[in-house]
Amino acid sequence: MPIAQEPSLTFQPGGAAGGTVTADGTWQVHALAHRKVIKALSARLDQAHKAGNAQWDLTAIDSMDHIGAQLFWQAWGYQRPASLKLAPGQEEFFKRLEATGKLELPRTRTHHMDWVTTLGAGILHFAEHLQGFVKLIGQVTQDTWRFLKSPLRGPWKEISANIFHAGFQALGITALVGFLIGVVLSYLSAQQLRNFGGDIYLVNLLGMSIIRELGPLLAAILVAGRSGSSITAQLGVMRVTEELDAMLVMGISHGFRLVLPKVVALAISMPLLVIWTDCMALIGGMVSAKIELNLSARYFIQKLPDAVPLANYMIGLGKGAVFGMLIALVSCHFGLRIQPNTESLGRGTTTSVVTAITVVILADAVFAIVFNGVGF
């Protein structure tokens, strides 16, 4: 097999004639594949093309393929130069390039009403998800009635395992975030209250904001990002590995063994996590209040029951239970809809977390409107 010679290009300026361009070597793809070679040749081809009516001599090229011919064709501006010398066998390449001409893609027509189609598709997609979510709620309701009729045959182990994973293992992150939020909120509130001489009202501000709103919302967002994604990924992997199909073949209900335990577990775990997050946030607030306003922990604890009526505490616990069930339902909904491929698994997990957080915030807004006059 002959050894490929490095392709080269020589340009000799010739005054009014434009000069002479001589090419030699091997102009094939394996010889042109080197980055330095193609970069140097492209620069020389551009220089020769700018010279004007140059004489091109390609007879010294020992071998050429379509890639090498395409380089010359692009340098010539997609047409033959006035003076061109070719070796036998090279004419065929340039005839084909002449017959092909420039590649012109058809212009895509823009429709002014495309947004209507996009909006309609989005509405139909949302309606499909809403229908599936309502069906899932109905299935969970039936499974709950089945569980209540025969509790001894219920999925107690699955419920216990989900309480451990979604509740106990989330104590660390909720405590850290709750404590830091309490410190930040107390620090900023103390700076503002000091200007108006309202230092003693810091307990009222922290108690109401944390126990009624921030505690349940923080715990729900953390659980949605932590446990919600885990639930969706778990069901998605079971879909990819065909475990869900195997359960149906064996007559095992997805709702009774997979969805119901997660809903019950989060409904139990979330109120407990809300209590834990409230406590850590109030502790952080007490620490910051002691540093900023010199309010003792004893005063803080004594003032808190009077500053926050019991109804706010019960609303916070109710929020926790509702948020937990919504997170579990949304996560299971998207987990069961994942297709058996990895791309759908990643996309479904991301969508599940975003949707769960959005649903939690919407539910919190509904609570604020419904219980507007309660707890004050």
Side-chain angles (χ1 to χ4, degrees), residues 236-318:
V237 170
M238 294 180 70
R239 172 72 69 187
V240 173
T241 57
E242 299 182 353
E243 293 180 55
L244 295 179
D245 299 332
M247 290 179 64
L248 292 179
V249 171
M250 292 186 292
I252 301 175
S253 171
H254 293 165
F256 191 72
R257 288 295 171 181
L258 295 177
V259 180
L260 179 64
K262 293 174 173 54
V263 174
V264 174
L266 282 178
I268 296 173
S269 301
M270 276 298 299
L272 301 177
L273 284 176
V274 168
I275 297 174
W276 173 253
T277 307
D278 290 345
C279 292
M280 298 307 299
L282 291 174
I283 291 174
M286 282 191 292
V287 172
S288 181
K290 177 65 177 178
I291 297 173
E292 283 294 311
L293 302 177
N294 199 25
L295 293 178
S296 65
R298 176 177 296 180
Y299 172 80
F300 202 99
I301 296 174
Q302 290 177 349
K303 184 68 176 177
L304 188 62
D306 298 330
V308 183
L310 183 62
N312 297 280
Y313 186 71
M314 302 307 297
I315 290 174
L317 295 182

Side-chain angles (χ1 to χ4, degrees), residues 215-245:
L217 196 59
L218 279 176
I221 291 175
L222 291 174
V223 170
R226 182 186 175 279
S227 302
S229 60
S230 175
I231 291 172
T232 305
Q234 178 189 5
L235 295 178
V237 170
M238 294 180 70
R239 172 72 69 187
V240 173
T241 57
E242 299 182 353
E243 293 180 55
L244 295 179
D245 299 332

Side-chain angles (χ1 to χ4, degrees), residues 70-92:
Q70 185 69 35
L71 286 177
F72 287 111
W73 192 249
Q74 291 177 354
W76 296 340
Y78 303 99
Q79 61 182 358
R80 288 184 183 236
S83 179
L84 176 62
K85 294 181 181 181
L86 298 176
Q90 296 177 357
E91 181 69 24
E92 182 181 356

Side-chain angles (χ1 to χ4, degrees), residues 36-277:
K36 294 182 179 180
V37 173
I38 194 67
K39 187 176 181 181
L41 291 177
S42 299
R44 292 184 181 180
L45 286 169
D46 292 340
Q47 181 185 3
H49 178 65
K50 293 177 182 178
N53 298 325
Q55 299 179 2
W56 293 78
D57 186 1
L58 310 185
T59 57
I61 296 178
D62 54 11
S63 59
M64 178 189 291
D65 60 5
H66 288 282
I67 302 300
Q70 185 69 35
L71 286 177
F72 287 111
W73 192 249
Q74 291 177 354
W76 296 340
Y78 303 99
Q79 61 182 358
R80 288 184 183 236
S83 179
L84 176 62
K85 294 181 181 181
L86 298 176
Q90 296 177 357
E91 181 69 24
E92 182 181 356
F93 294 120
F94 296 106
K95 281 185 177 181
R96 291 183 180 179
L97 290 172
E98 283 179 334
T100 302
K102 290 185 179 181
L103 179 61
E104 295 182 358
L105 297 177
R107 296 180 59 185
T108 57
R109 296 181 60 185
T110 57
H111 299 280
H112 299 289
M113 301 299 291
D114 283 345
W115 64 273
V116 177
T117 305
T118 305
L119 179 62
I123 294 175
L124 291 176
H125 188 63
F126 175 77
E128 181 187 0
H129 277 284
L130 185 62
Q131 182 184 11
F133 189 73
V134 172
K135 287 183 178 179
L136 183 63
I137 294 176
Q139 182 65 43
V140 170
T141 304
Q142 292 180 347
D143 293 332
T144 303
W145 177 245
R146 173 186 171 187
F147 179 39
L148 294 176
K149 287 196 300 183
S150 55
L152 296 179
R153 301 181 62 183
W156 291 105
K157 291 184 179 180
E158 290 85 349
I159 294 174
S160 176
N162 281 281
I163 290 176
F164 174 77
H165 292 300
F168 178 77
Q169 291 186 340
L171 292 178
I173 185 64
T174 52
L176 176 62
V177 174
F179 181 83
L180 295 177
I181 290 295
V183 170
V184 172
L185 186 61
S186 176
Y187 180 78
L188 296 177
S189 301
Q191 288 183 328
Q192 298 298 320
L193 292 174
R194 185 187 298 145
N195 297 330
F196 302 98
D199 299 354
I200 60 174
Y201 296 107
L202 179 63
V203 181
N204 302 63
L205 182 61
L206 287 180
M208 287 294 292
S209 60
I210 290 175
I211 293 177
R212 185 178 178 117
E213 289 295 332
L214 286 181
L217 196 59
L218 279 176
I221 291 175
L222 291 174
V223 170
R226 182 186 175 279
S227 302
S229 60
S230 175
I231 291 172
T232 305
Q234 178 189 5
L235 295 178
V237 170
M238 294 180 70
R239 172 72 69 187
V240 173
T241 57
E242 299 182 353
E243 293 180 55
L244 295 179
D245 299 332
M247 290 179 64
L248 292 179
V249 171
M250 292 186 292
I252 301 175
S253 171
H254 293 165
F256 191 72
R257 288 295 171 181
L258 295 177
V259 180
L260 179 64
K262 293 174 173 54
V263 174
V264 174
L266 282 178
I268 296 173
S269 301
M270 276 298 299
L272 301 177
L273 284 176
V274 168
I275 297 174
W276 173 253
T277 307

